[in-house]
Amino acid sequence: MAKKSVTVDDLSRVRNVGIIAHIDAGKTTTTERVLYYTGMVHKIGEVHDGAATTDYMPQERERGITITAAAVTASWNGHQINVIDTPGHVDFTVEVQRSLRVLDGGIVVFDGVAGVEPQSETVWRQANNYQVPRMCFVNKMDRTGANFMRCVDMIVDRLHGNPVLLQFPYGEGAEFMGIFDLLKMELVTYGDDKGEDIQRHPIPESHREQMETRRAEMVEKIVESDDFLTEKYLSGEEITDEELMGALRASTIAGKIHPVLCGSALKNKGVQLMLDKVVELLPSPLDVPPVTGTHPKTDEELLRNPDPNEPTAALVFKILTDPFVGRLAFFRVYSGVVKAGSMMLNSTKGNRERIGRIVRLFADSREDVEEIRAGDIAAILALKDTFTGDTLCDENKPIVLEKISFPEPVIEVAIEPNTKADQDKMGNALRRLAEEDPTFKIEVDEKLGQTKIKGMGELHLEVLVDRMQREFGVQATVGRPRVAYRETITRANRVDMIFKRQTGGSGQYARVVLEFEPVDENDPDVGDLKDGLIFKDEIKGGTIPKEFVRPTENGIREAVAGGVLAGYPVVNVRARLVDGAFHEVDSSEMAFKIAGSMALKEGIHKGKPVILEPTMKVEVVAPDDYTGTVVGDLSSRRGIVIGMEPRGGATGVRANVPLGEMFGYATAIRNMTQGRGSFTMEFEKYSVAPQTIADEVIKGNS
């Protein structure tokens, strides 16, 4: 490490930002330049050389991709910037999701040639969900085929963003020589290859008229968001640079506009200008609304302001297992101060935790600190029972912050240890990896005596198995990937279920009447789906006492774990408890739980059950000559083509394809296009599987 990070006490000078984008847009390369220009490293590490600072896992260096979000603290112009470099591959989307939950601002990086790509849409949507203000950096302007305005148009068309151009490239592709700054009306060029000799010039006459038009468009878009400035603008009064910047910052923080910058991180152009704008435009912890939470016992809504004097509240957003120091818990402090050696309450679980070492992060290097104050991000070593999504808070002023929700896995493989010695080691390794990654699930099939691991894609599971072998020394054999199917009902029905058992002495009695209905994506209650089920208590007149309603629900929720067709989890069902009966002596919580479970199984049988298969949103980019072959192949895989667009000598084909048809596609696309095609894939939705596929699944052949 070149030097210690600079921290500041003034919260207005702190920026918590994430660098988010599609795979290969240049996020890690951009982060590497940020480290270099802020003085955190003396030498620029390159992704293609396997030497990027934030890609420190062996799997990341070998594959040239980011797998785990890496946090870095740096300083720029007297401001402390906590940067999180996130993965772009959809299999690791959990890393983006949990990072966005705790960040105040985002830098969305776009490839100047490809423009808006599928994962760009995903991360943009996630940023919308968490209301994260963001700015856009159009990268790779030096590449052949780069087209700045095409990328800006795609931000409008595909992302429904409101881009405001603060910069414009001076040339594109091999002709890219510098950047026009539309705020200062200057041309910025570089006198050296490292991007440190920044030279500012007046705008050349050949481009003056075009840049004046661009500036007028920029000013118009900025003043639109401010009533006072709109009035001033319409009456022809002069708007000062300070007023313009004030309105620009306020509108960016409010998410009304998305400033657009450009450059080439690999060629060291535009990164310092981007850092200036991070400091000038993105919010500090003081600019975002106070965090809301609930009291763990009363469910009363509570607020916490970003103030070190308020009761402490912090959210753990990521767990990382380090082979040398053990478990690291990344956390964001929303209020108060977290001090090394203090006791805190994990309000999510109701346990007390001793805060041991607190470290400020520099990718895989660490710097010990005594305390972390409101608005800051750091990590704690060796917490016993605190995991992703847990809240740490003041014991006397408890609060539970909103948990992070994660997508369900869509793919599974069977895994078996090679030797008896590997058996115990594998259990420990899988448990620790699952603690890190909430989208990685382990299931033990008691009937088959088999362990299954589930994840978000082939690459996700491949990387986790590789880590298990390297970090934990476990040798294991992995089966072929299997699709995580689901079951649901297609017809509403009513079940009147009585559970009765007499075994000498007091017996067991419960009667429940339940109405089951399918839930589709347009259903008004779809947001209430929890583990695939919506439960409604509609008991009137006390036919079932309140204390038996929750056990009934628990019985139903346990039963949805295995359907009646092929044993897959049941999803998209609404269960309404409408009637029932109880016995003063023989009824118990257990009786109602069993009755609820039996009713669910009966309701699935009567509800005309079907198998659901995961459908993926696939985008294939291939040279124009191969477009027909690619489209034909996707159709043969039961794919539905939903769009095609030119990509400078290549064509992007977008389609929805069942996951079960996509195994081995990486090899197939290489063979089809002589190695010149590429594809990306992300989960779209669950769809009803055709009867032939369903029959195969039920037989257990899929």
Side-chain angles (χ1 to χ4, degrees), residues 557-569:
R557 287 200 181 279
E558 281 183 22
V560 296
V564 300
L565 293 176
Y568 286 102

Side-chain angles (χ1 to χ4, degrees), residues 16 18 20 84 86 93-105 126-127 129-132 288-294 314-318 332 334 377 388-391 399-406:
N16 294 312
I20 56 178
I84 295 186
T86 65
T93 192
V94 60
E95 294 288 341
V96 185
Q97 203 150 323
R98 56 184 172 191
S99 300
L100 284 170
R101 170 68 176 81
V102 297
L103 291 171
D104 300 325
Q126 288 171 329
N129 291 345
Y130 289 114
Q131 298 177 331
V132 175
V288 293
V291 70
T292 58
T294 53
L315 182 75
V316 173
F317 67 94
K318 175 178 162 66
R332 157 82 189 255
Y334 283 96
I377 290 174
T388 301
D390 288 355
T391 302
I399 184 173
V400 179
L401 302 176
E402 185 191 349
K403 280 184 81 81
I404 312 169
S405 58
F406 298 110

Side-chain angles (χ1 to χ4, degrees), residues 144-160:
T144 304
N147 188 328
F148 180 69
M149 285 312 298
R150 177 176 164 275
C151 190
V152 172
D153 291 340
M154 289 176 85
I155 291 171
V156 177
D157 298 339
R158 278 214 188 176
L159 305 178
H160 310 297

Side-chain angles (χ1 to χ4, degrees), residues 4 9 66 68-69 99 120 129 316 359 370 400 421 510 514 568 600 646 671 696:
K4 292 221 166 190
D9 289 331
T66 301
T68 182
S99 300
S120 317
N129 291 345
V316 173
V359 291
E370 285 303 307
V400 179
L514 283 146
Y568 286 102
L600 186 276
N671 293 341
E696 289 289 306

Side-chain angles (χ1 to χ4, degrees), residues 45 210 276 301 368 401 506 662 673:
Q210 184 194 359
D276 290 340
E301 188 169 289
D368 282 272
L401 302 176
S506 63
M662 289 300 289
T673 61

Side-chain angles (χ1 to χ4, degrees), residues 84 166 197 363 392 397 404 428 511 517 528 540 563 596 616 624:
I84 295 186
L166 306 187
D197 180 14
L392 291 171
K397 299 274 183 163
I404 312 169
N428 178 48
R511 175 177 169 239
E517 301 161 338
D528 298 333
K540 293 186 176 69
M616 310 304 281
D624 294 338

Side-chain angles (χ1 to χ4, degrees), residues 51 53 62 73 126 157 160 167 257 279 322 407 418 430 475 487 567 614 617 681 688:
T53 311
E62 285 165 14
T73 301
Q126 288 171 329
D157 298 339
H160 310 297
Q167 296 174 353
I257 61 178
V279 164
D322 186 299
N418 288 357
L430 291 176
Q475 297 306 311
E487 298 181 22
K617 185 159 70 174
M681 179 170 79
V688 177

